[in-house]
Amino acid sequence: EAAAKAVAELIAQLPVDVTLKDAAAVEAAEAKYNELTNEQQVFVSNKDVLDEAKATIAQLQTEKEAIEAVIEAIDTLPKTVTLADEAVVQAVSVQYELLTEAQQQRVTNKDVLAKAKETIAQLQTAAEQQAAQDQENEAVAKVVEELIAALPKDVILNDASAVEEAEAKYTALTKEQQA
C-alpha cells in the first residue's frame, strides 16, 4: 500500500493544466503506476487524473504536430507565386483553415500564406482582365477583318471610299488588335 500511496502522491503533484512541458512528469508517473501490481493499483485513487493528463498530453502533441505540418507546408510554398501554384496554395490554405483559431495563432509563418493567397487573387484578377481585353481586341479586329474581306478582289476607283474606310479602321487598331 505504501508504493501505491507514493504513486498517488506523484500523480497529485501533476499540474492541473498540463502542457507538453509536463509530458516527462506524466510519463514518469505512468511508468511508476505500471510498476505496481494489479492489487497495488487498486489503491491509487487518483488514476483518473493520470489518465486525463495522458489524454491531454496526447491531444496537445497531436495539435503540435498539426501546427508543425502547416508551418512546414507553408515553408514549401515558392518564393515567387504564380497562377500555376494556385492548387498548392489552396491546399495549404485548406490545411491551415482546418486548425482551430487558437492553433492558427501558433502558425508562425501564416503571413507567408496570406501573401501567397493575395498574390494568387491579384494574378487571377489580372488574368481575367487580360482575357476580357483579349476578347475585346478580337471583336474589334473582327469588324476590321470583315470590312477588308468585303472589299472586292479587283478594286476600282468607285471602291476608293471603302478601301479608305477599311484602312482608317485598321490604322486605328492598337498593335495588339492588329496582331
Side-chain angles (χ1 to χ4, degrees):
E1 213 175 298
K5 185 177 180 182
V7 171
E9 288 176 12
L10 191 59
I11 293 171
Q13 291 175 5
L14 294 175
V16 175
D17 294 322
V18 176
T19 68
L20 284 176
K21 293 177 184 171
D22 304 311
V26 171
E27 289 171 10
E30 179 182 25
K32 290 293 184 189
Y33 177 84
N34 289 337
E35 289 175 6
L36 298 175
T37 65
N38 288 343
E39 293 79 20
Q40 291 172 318
Q41 288 178 354
V42 171
F43 293 106
V44 178
S45 60
N46 58 353
K47 168 74 165 61
D48 61 322
V49 172
L50 177 60
D51 291 339
E52 287 178 29
K54 285 173 25 185
T56 300
I57 293 292
Q59 178 186 355
L60 292 172
Q61 186 61 38
T62 300
E63 288 179 8
K64 179 183 176 199
E65 290 168 5
I67 292 165
E68 287 173 351
V70 170
I71 290 170
E72 288 174 21
I74 292 171
D75 283 343
T76 65
L77 292 175
K79 300 289 181 226
T80 304
V81 177
T82 68
L83 274 179
D85 302 313
E86 180 180 6
V88 173
V89 172
Q90 181 62 30
V92 173
S93 181
V94 167
Q95 193 177 359
Y96 174 80
E97 294 298 327
L98 289 174
L99 298 175
T100 65
E101 259 185 64
Q103 292 167 341
Q104 288 175 359
Q105 295 305 314
R106 293 172 47 203
V107 175
T108 55
N109 57 353
K110 62 182 165 244
D111 57 320
V112 173
L113 176 59
K115 180 68 176 156
K117 288 169 59 175
E118 179 183 327
T119 299
I120 291 292
Q122 290 170 347
L123 291 171
Q124 285 173 331
T125 300
E128 289 167 4
Q129 290 172 343
Q130 185 61 50
Q133 184 63 50
D134 290 348
Q135 193 173 13
E136 182 182 328
N137 287 346
E138 287 175 23
V140 170
K142 186 175 181 181
V143 169
V144 174
E145 286 174 2
E146 289 172 356
L147 275 175
I148 293 171
L151 292 174
K153 271 189 168 186
D154 298 322
V155 178
I156 59 172
L157 190 55
N158 286 345
D159 299 321
S161 64
V163 170
E164 289 170 0
E165 178 187 0
E167 181 181 24
K169 296 262 184 196
Y170 179 80
T171 305
L173 294 177
T174 64
K175 288 190 183 348
E176 291 85 15
Q177 293 168 334
Q178 289 176 358

